[in-house]
Amino acid sequence: MRRMGVALSMAVCACAVMLAQQGGQNAGQAAAPAQSQAQKLAEKPKPPIRPNDAGAPVPTRADMLRGAYGPYRENNDLLYYHLDIRVDPEKKSIGGKNTIRFRMLKDGDRIQLDLTDKLNIDKILLGPEFSKTAPLKYERDGSAVFVDFPHLLRAGQVVSIDFYYSGNPAELGRFGGITFKKDASGHDWINTACEGDGASVWWPNKDQWRDEVESMDLSVAIPSGLVDVSNGKFVSKTDLGDGYTRWDWHISYPINNYDVSLNIGNYVHFADKYGDQPLDFYALPEDLDKAKAQFPQAKGMMEAFTHYFGEYPFIKDGYKLIEAPYTGMEHQSAVTYGNLFKNGYYGHDWTGVGVSPRFDFIIIHESGHEWFGNSITAVDPADMWLHEGWDTYLESLYVEYRWGKADAIKYLSGYRPKIYNLRPIVAERGVNAEPTEDQYFKGALMLNTLRSVVNDDAKWFALIKGLYQHFKYQTIQTEDVVAYFNLHTGMNLTPIFNQYLRHTRIPRLELLFSQTPGGESPDMVMYKWDADEENFAMPVRIGTPEHWQIIRPTTKWQWMKTPLTKDEFQVATDLYYIDVNKQ
């Protein structure tokens, strides 16, 4: 009923007059139906507003230097890193070099790299393909490092440099960036976790998301007796003869800089398999029994996500789950874990609906990032919902695979009280902007809404698997996902994506009931969407759970006949993340 003829327009006008005369009241005293899970949760009070949800901070100069993909970033394409370092727990220091290989995309004599100004640049040398051995000149602007070459580099030319550095990195951010700790038995325990703060807090690199190396080597020298567990496939360990041992790892796939990880400690190893895929687990000796009881959940995770999206994306590098002294992070092929070896989130019911205690939230969530976040990576942090919204939705798919769709919907509905809708999910690009935490929960509920819009589970699962397979090992942005959905559904879903991602409000379904004089129930309901997107037109299920029917509201009034009273008339709010206003 998107287009109304003259007679229909007159009927709508008559209905409006009747409503005005009757004050919107309807007859009938039928008992109100049972509330949906979404309605129950909507009545719960929200926790205090998180600062990051209240508003985006004004970008600093450092944010702009790191976030902008300027002329000295875009003129080159990363090919390879070899990070070769020594870590001294006693001095809490780090030092060594990063060999950086890149291809010039444009003629130029300067590139931009990054290293925190808390660490020293010892020298930067041209690679062995050049005869010149004098150190390269550079300029520092905070953490930005502008490296100058003595002659013009031509487009297409492959260049390597050795970037030597040293010093004592500062601990900062939620997880410390790089931390030097002791475990309960007094052994050194050193870990990195630097997604928000940037990998340049502990090693020199091109510290942005758009450009990833194609492969990487890691060489980490640490005091003998300790173990380093890093990304990629274990290659070898070598006794250096001075009390240190070097651990060598090779990464065969593109990797985001913040995923590069050190985990140095008194680790013990045990293993399992999912088919032919090794699953390697690392824990402290005192936690080994608890890890052996908890870490096998990784096998069920692997089974579920392989079912929905295809094979584990980093087969050559393997899958590792590593105990860490913080909650956990999605380091590629080296997922870190600190959830106290308990189900839920730190032992709590994370979504508050009784489903979370069945599984370990950190194992499932952080491992899900291997598909969305690591294999598929956002071009800019502004689009980080492509990591977090998708991965939160993957949690519900794990629930659905194990316990069925009803529990998955229930689990997702439990996220509603965590959403604030105070600023858009997609942040400003090019300024290293951190999006609101709504990206997790609102992003997942939007995807569940889109599943209901597609209204065919076979098509839905083929769609999301196809999207993953199409974009794996790439950096993408929101527009790429929207275009893929539009193409492969044959629907214009752009207004729906825009409403949820680029506006603060969620769509509200306006329902206006009318009844004929003397009638026992309404015989007409008017309906429309209240949304920011002018062309917002999302189908929605209405009626009763036993007899749902789909209507197709737009932002213009339409009407339909109904035998239901206002209280009997329901909207499937568990299947769509929307507000409903019944009058």
Side-chain angles (χ1 to χ4, degrees):
M1 296 185 180
R2 296 185 181 181
R3 298 177 181 174
M4 297 185 293
V6 175
L8 183 56
S9 298
M10 292 175 64
V12 172
C13 291
C15 179
V17 171
M18 187 185 305
L19 285 164
Q21 292 172 341
Q22 296 175 359
Q25 298 177 353
N26 63 303
Q29 302 299 320
Q35 287 182 307
S36 70
Q37 186 72 30
Q39 290 168 326
K40 292 176 183 177
L41 290 164
E43 295 175 357
K44 290 186 177 182
K46 287 185 180 294
I49 295 173
R50 302 172 292 250
N52 189 47
D53 292 294
V58 176
T60 63
R61 178 176 179 80
D63 290 325
M64 294 178 184
L65 283 169
R66 183 172 154 211
Y69 207 73
Y72 306 119
R73 290 202 195 277
E74 69 176 10
N75 68 355
N76 68 91
D77 176 35
L78 284 175
L79 299 176
Y80 171 79
Y81 290 139
H82 180 191
L83 183 60
D84 184 358
I85 56 175
R86 175 175 289 228
V87 181
D88 187 331
E90 183 178 349
K91 295 179 180 179
K92 296 185 177 181
S93 67
I94 190 169
K97 69 174 179 177
N98 187 20
T99 298
I100 305 170
R101 186 185 306 145
F102 55 93
R103 177 182 291 109
M104 293 299 292
L105 300 176
K106 300 177 181 178
D107 292 353
D109 58 6
R110 168 177 275 208
I111 64 169
Q112 179 185 345
L113 299 171
D114 303 89
L115 180 69
T116 175
D117 55 9
K118 306 299 182 186
L119 292 172
N120 305 314
I121 299 175
D122 298 328
K123 58 185 175 181
I124 304 175
L125 302 177
L126 279 168
E129 65 269 29
F130 295 92
S131 58
K132 185 177 178 63
T133 58
L136 295 172
K137 295 180 180 179
Y138 61 87
E139 293 181 7
R140 302 190 82 167
D141 189 339
S143 294
V145 181
F146 297 94
V147 182
D148 292 313
F149 296 90
H151 52 79
L152 191 69
L153 303 177
R154 296 295 184 181
Q157 186 174 358
V158 174
V159 180
S160 65
I161 61 173
D162 291 327
F163 192 130
Y164 291 81
Y165 76 110
S166 61
N168 300 94
E171 294 187 15
L172 48 87
R174 181 182 177 193
F175 297 142
I178 179 170
T179 59
F180 292 81
K181 298 179 182 292
K182 299 281 188 180
D183 66 20
S185 60
H187 293 90
D188 289 303
W189 202 8
I190 302 165
N191 305 84
T192 61
C194 54
E195 179 181 16
D197 304 294
S200 56
V201 301
W202 66 275
W203 64 286
N205 62 91
K206 189 177 182 180
D207 200 357
Q208 42 68 66
W209 291 15
R210 181 185 299 266
D211 190 9
E212 298 180 347
V213 289
E214 297 173 359
S215 63
M216 180 173 179
D217 284 295
L218 267 169
S219 299
V220 185
I222 56 175
S224 300
L226 295 176
V227 174
D228 173 59
V229 189
S230 286
N231 319 82
K233 182 178 180 179
F234 174 70
V235 177
S236 63
K237 65 176 183 175
T238 304
D239 188 340
L240 301 178
D242 59 354
Y244 274 69
T245 296
R246 187 181 70 236
W247 295 72
D248 292 303
W249 302 84
H250 177 69
I251 300 159
S252 297
Y253 302 87
I255 186 169
N256 199 316
N257 53 71
Y258 72 74
D259 271 332
V260 176
S261 176
L262 305 181
N263 298 281
I264 300 167
N266 185 37
Y267 286 113
V268 290
H269 169 255
F270 64 103
D272 199 348
K273 276 192 171 184
Y274 171 68
D276 294 330
Q277 177 66 55
L279 307 175
D280 290 294
F281 304 128
Y282 294 85
L284 301 181
E286 57 266 35
D287 294 325
L288 181 60
D289 289 341
K290 290 183 284 187
K292 285 185 174 181
Q294 198 76 356
F295 282 8
Q297 288 190 39
K299 182 184 287 189
M301 171 280 302
M302 195 72 72
E303 181 180 343
F305 296 153
T306 297
H307 170 77
Y308 288 113
F309 298 103
E311 67 181 13
Y312 175 64
F314 306 111
I315 289 177
K316 294 178 185 177
D317 289 353
Y319 170 87
K320 296 179 285 293
L321 187 62
I322 308 154
E323 182 180 358
Y326 57 89
T327 312
M329 263 294 295
E330 63 264 28
H331 301 125
Q332 184 171 308
S333 75
V335 175
T336 48
Y337 172 92
N339 200 35
L340 307 179
F341 305 99
K342 295 180 179 180
N343 282 357
Y345 188 32
Y346 277 2
H348 301 298
D349 185 349
W350 175 227
T351 58
V353 295
V355 179
S356 299
R358 301 177 195 171
F359 64 94
D360 192 308
F361 169 79
I362 289 297
I363 292 176
I364 305 309
H365 179 89
E366 302 303 345
S367 300
H369 276 306
E370 295 281 59
W371 283 263
F372 286 87
N374 299 346
S375 179
I376 292 178
T377 305
V379 164
D380 187 287
D383 292 281
M384 196 162 60
W385 79 274
L386 297 171
H387 302 195
E388 302 299 354
W390 273 96
D391 193 33
T392 304
Y393 182 67
L394 262 62
E395 296 166 26
S396 75
L397 293 182
Y398 174 80
V399 171
E400 182 162 349
Y401 186 80
R402 292 289 308 277
W403 299 288
K405 185 175 180 179
D407 278 345
I409 299 299
K410 182 179 180 182
Y411 179 84
L412 281 172
S413 292
Y415 275 130
R416 290 171 184 256
K418 299 180 185 293
I419 302 172
Y420 292 90
N421 291 317
L422 295 176
R423 63 186 181 101
I425 287 178
V426 175
E428 182 182 358
R429 291 174 180 156
V431 293
N432 193 38
E434 182 181 358
T436 168
E437 287 186 33
D438 281 359
Q439 64 176 313
Y440 291 78
F441 319 121
K442 188 175 180 179
L445 286 166
M446 178 194 72
L447 290 171
N448 185 58
T449 299
L450 287 166
R451 176 179 179 177
S452 300
V453 170
V454 171
N455 194 31
D456 183 323
D457 278 353
K459 289 182 179 179
W460 173 253
F461 289 126
L463 177 69
I464 61 174
K465 183 176 183 178
L467 177 136
Y468 168 75
Q469 292 293 332
H470 181 75
F471 289 117
K472 66 181 179 181
Y473 310 130
Q474 297 181 47
T475 57
I476 66 172
Q477 56 188 359
T478 297
E479 289 84 347
D480 296 312
V481 171
V482 176
Y484 187 92
F485 267 66
N486 287 345
L487 176 64
H488 291 274
T489 62
M491 305 165 69
N492 178 20
L493 299 174
T494 303
I496 298 177
F497 276 102
N498 285 348
Q499 184 64 43
Y500 286 98
L501 298 177
R502 302 184 187 279
H503 301 284
T504 56
R505 296 191 306 155
I506 61 174
R508 185 174 69 234
L509 184 63
E510 302 284 10
L511 298 172
L512 194 55
F513 292 84
S514 171
Q515 68 183 61
T516 55
E520 295 183 356
S521 66
D523 61 5
M524 187 180 295
V525 59
M526 297 174 64
Y527 57 89
K528 77 178 187 73
W529 286 116
D530 179 15
D532 299 282
E533 287 289 308
E534 182 179 357
N535 297 321
F536 190 84
M538 186 171 77
V540 65
R541 291 175 176 85
I542 55 89
T544 63
E546 298 78 19
H547 301 286
W548 289 129
Q549 69 178 100
I550 294 177
I551 59 173
R552 301 184 180 279
T554 67
T555 54
K556 306 296 182 183
W557 283 111
Q558 300 176 65
W559 67 274
M560 62 179 287
K561 291 189 174 183
T562 179
L564 302 174
T565 67
K566 182 173 74 172
D567 288 337
E568 293 170 337
F569 192 101
Q570 297 182 56
V571 181
T573 51
D574 286 337
L575 303 180
Y576 306 85
Y577 182 47
I578 58 174
D579 285 331
V580 178
N581 179 29
K582 295 199 294 185
Q583 299 291 338

